[in-house]
Amino acid sequence: MPEKNQVCTAEITALTSEGSGVCRIDGMAVFVPETAVGDVCEVKIVKVLKSYAYGIVEKIVKPSDDRIENSCPVYKKCGGCLLRHISYDAECRTKNDIVRDAFQRIGGLSPKFDSFIGAEDTEHYRNKAQYPVAEIDGKAVCGFFAPRSHRIVPVDDCALQPKIFSDILGTVMDYINEKKLSAYNEASNTGTIRHIYLRRGAHSGEIMVCIVVRKDMSRQLSALCRILSEKYSDIKSIIMNINSQKTNVILGDKCVTLWGNDTISDVMCGNTVEISPLSFYQVNTVQAERLYAKALEYAAPDGNEVIADLYCGAGTIGLSMAENAKKIVGVEIIPQAVENAKKNAEHNNISNADFYCGDAGKVFRELRKNGCSPNIIVVDPPRKGCSAETIDVIANSAPQKIVMISCNPATAARDAKMLSDNGYSVDKVCGVDLFPRTGHVECVVLMSRKK
Ligand code: SAH
């Protein structure tokens, strides 16, 4: 077993989803951040636990061929891009391995793995940013939280965000400082401006500016609305979101439209979609469209089937399948997202889609009692995966196919395993990169009912 402060030479053989390299020292897995597969380095052991240890690099003896120069000034500081030190090719290989490993090792499953779908654009691809605001040296600043902390690293130009975001952010922060509006203080739950939240439709270019405040600031923000709307013609909506709680959840329940529309619109898989500030909307539109196309390929509906879209958000996946289905039934827990989904169906003249608000498992159980019996179920849960209740009701409803989409391969593999123990074979898995340069990866899974 390695010992604390011991220094050993070792080769990095894998990367974890947290962007840490892994090597083996005295038979034990040691996690070493900021390394690349193929690096030979002198590793100093900093912490030893029961079955693994943590180390840091003392010296790189032989750098990996995957390494590249990176030019981001806040790399390592902001906690966003964990994989900026390796080539994008190497990143796709790593992410493919992470997906494979989850299904084979965690799930004990052996599906066919389709070719990983990497992105063409690895910069400026995001359509959403949420910048926390804090006071540093008497001035309001915004940026991103440093890894595993609530200390703000000032960032005014993030390589993943649309270029215009840094300009808008500058205008907003200048205004806040000029008017001496106070930045929120998390520890004491005092101050007012908590977050600057920006969204931009990738296809439409429409921008929403949402200022998250601890208490109503509509009067103090009215001049800002005039400045922003005059300066940026793409801004279509300015919202104040009130979050008075002492919490690290960013958004509160109450949204007040200060200027323009309540929502912005964008185009997703050919459908016009309206998005309100509280609705989930995939942050990388181009790659999300590829993900949904893969989900459609897996679902392969024949036009006469009922498709359930559980965890449906603003309805984007179900609506993209509507013309190939007899009926779409969507379930989502956030009321504003359900409202968006209903309107999105209406605006795109989709009359065969119904949306329900509530917990996916509970609502679907009720729908089943009332005779809803989908042939295909699409599930797209948050990172923690499906609840046991949802898995249970899905398995009991016995659709021919289940298509699972997930931003967390580990919970997707766990859920797929549960379904494989309940009458399903896990046929295919495909990794899709929606989050280039970060440690995150999305996957889509096809399961079919065993004969
Ligand atoms: N399918 C959508 C949204 C996926 S994100 C899209 O591709 O855009 C996951 C969604 O699950 C979010 O919209 C979230 O609000 C919703 N959600 C979280 N917990 C839920 C639950 N218990 N029941 C139903 N929906 C839930």
Side-chain angles (χ1 to χ4, degrees):
M1 227 164 80
E3 280 174 19
K4 191 172 170 175
N5 293 329
Q6 181 186 344
V7 179
C8 308
T9 303
E11 179 170 344
I12 303 296
T13 52
L15 280 190
T16 67
S17 51
E18 282 81 42
S20 234
V22 189
C23 62
R24 291 200 87 81
I25 294 176
D26 296 344
M28 189 180 242
V30 181
F31 296 102
V32 192
E34 294 155 28
T35 53
V37 174
D39 277 345
V40 178
C41 27
E42 283 177 11
V43 175
K44 181 175 175 184
I45 305 292
V46 290
K47 192 172 187 179
V48 183
L49 296 160
K50 238 196 208 134
S51 56
Y52 57 92
Y54 291 101
I56 51 169
V57 175
E58 288 269 286
K59 187 173 145 204
I60 297 178
V61 181
K62 183 184 150 289
S64 154
D65 291 341
D66 292 345
R67 278 190 177 271
I68 55 163
E69 280 302 312
N70 102 80
S71 54
C72 178
V74 289
Y75 167 63
K76 293 185 194 171
K77 293 195 195 117
C78 88
C81 296
L82 295 175
L83 301 176
R84 210 161 254 288
H85 62 299
I86 60 172
S87 69
Y88 187 57
D89 234 27
E91 177 179 338
C92 288
R93 261 184 277 129
T94 299
K95 289 182 170 176
N96 195 28
D97 289 347
I98 289 170
V99 172
R100 236 172 221 276
D101 203 50
F103 282 84
Q104 291 175 338
R105 221 170 34 84
I106 303 174
L109 300 162
S110 40
K112 173 180 179 291
F113 291 95
D114 277 344
S115 308
F116 188 79
I117 303 179
E120 260 96 66
D121 290 328
T122 57
E123 309 261 286
H124 310 298
Y125 61 80
R126 286 185 58 99
N127 59 29
K128 168 182 170 180
Q130 290 171 314
Y131 306 88
V133 179
E135 189 178 301
I136 299 182
D137 299 331
K139 197 174 165 225
V141 295
C142 70
F144 294 113
F145 289 127
R148 289 176 294 280
S149 91
H150 271 209
R151 182 173 53 79
I152 286 183
V153 179
V155 177
D156 47 20
D157 191 14
C158 167
L160 303 188
Q161 302 298 351
K163 288 207 167 90
I164 195 170
F165 278 13
S166 70
D167 206 283
I168 295 175
L169 203 57
T171 305
V172 175
M173 294 312 293
D174 284 351
Y175 180 88
I176 288 171
N177 280 305
E178 215 170 88
K179 299 280 179 199
K180 300 201 164 30
L181 305 184
S182 58
Y184 180 64
N185 181 317
E186 255 197 312
S188 57
N189 197 31
T190 56
T192 47
I193 312 288
R194 298 177 71 125
H195 274 80
I196 313 297
Y197 164 21
L198 306 177
R199 251 181 172 171
R200 177 177 174 273
H203 295 299
S204 68
E206 291 191 12
I207 294 171
M208 170 181 284
V209 177
C210 176
I211 314 281
V212 186
V213 294
R214 186 176 59 84
K215 56 178 194 192
D216 192 331
M217 296 287 284
S218 38
R219 200 171 43 79
Q220 293 90 330
L221 293 172
S222 66
L224 175 65
C225 293
R226 203 182 55 242
I227 295 170
L228 287 173
S229 58
E230 280 171 7
K231 193 164 170 191
Y232 306 97
S233 58
D234 285 339
I235 292 182
K236 302 294 177 198
S237 164
I238 304 178
I239 309 276
M240 174 179 68
N241 174 273
I242 303 177
N243 183 358
S244 51
Q245 304 295 313
K246 187 174 191 307
T247 166
N248 59 10
V249 175
I250 297 176
L251 297 173
D253 296 335
K254 191 170 179 203
C255 289
V256 180
T257 304
L258 299 179
W259 182 89
N261 304 329
D262 301 341
T263 56
I264 52 168
S265 55
D266 195 22
V267 180
M268 173 65 93
C269 300
N271 288 319
T272 311
V273 290
E274 268 192 19
I275 319 142
S276 59
L278 297 175
S279 297
F280 176 91
Y281 188 60
Q282 285 287 7
V283 297
N284 183 339
T285 309
V286 172
Q287 286 298 95
E289 290 181 307
R290 290 180 164 169
L291 172 75
Y292 297 165
K294 195 73 189 174
L296 179 61
E297 177 195 315
Y298 281 180
D302 66 10
N304 300 310
E305 293 157 320
V306 175
I307 304 179
D309 178 7
L310 305 183
Y311 307 88
C312 70
T316 42
I317 301 178
L319 294 178
S320 77
M321 297 181 172
E323 67 175 353
N324 300 304
K326 184 164 113 194
K327 189 165 189 59
I328 302 290
V329 181
V331 184
E332 159 65 42
I333 205 160
I334 302 284
Q336 288 86 347
V338 176
E339 280 312 304
N340 290 162
K342 288 179 180 166
K343 281 205 180 131
N344 291 337
E346 201 181 306
H347 290 167
N348 293 288
N349 298 319
I350 295 170
S351 54
N352 60 339
D354 288 336
F355 294 95
Y356 300 88
C357 188
D359 172 71
K362 292 195 168 63
V363 172
F364 185 47
R365 195 181 292 280
E366 286 307 307
L367 289 167
R368 290 237 314 128
K369 280 188 199 151
N370 297 325
C372 172
S373 173
N375 311 80
I376 301 169
I377 296 184
V378 178
V379 277
D380 184 9
R383 283 192 73 74
K384 64 175 192 263
C386 295
S387 64
E389 182 178 11
T390 306
I391 295 286
D392 187 55
V393 61
I394 289 174
N396 280 330
S397 84
Q400 280 117 41
K401 287 177 217 157
I402 301 168
V403 176
M404 181 182 287
I405 296 175
S406 169
C407 58
N408 186 344
T411 55
R414 177 203 67 195
D415 292 350
K417 168 72 176 135
M418 282 204 271
L419 287 162
S420 92
D421 293 339
N422 281 284
Y424 285 84
S425 67
V426 181
D427 302 332
K428 288 187 198 174
V429 173
C430 183
V432 186
D433 193 14
L434 266 70
F435 317 102
R437 307 333 257 139
T438 77
H440 298 291
V441 60
E442 194 91 14
C443 62
V444 48
V445 187
L446 170 64
M447 290 167 263
S448 59
R449 186 145 184 86
K450 287 180 199 155
K451 299 275 166 347

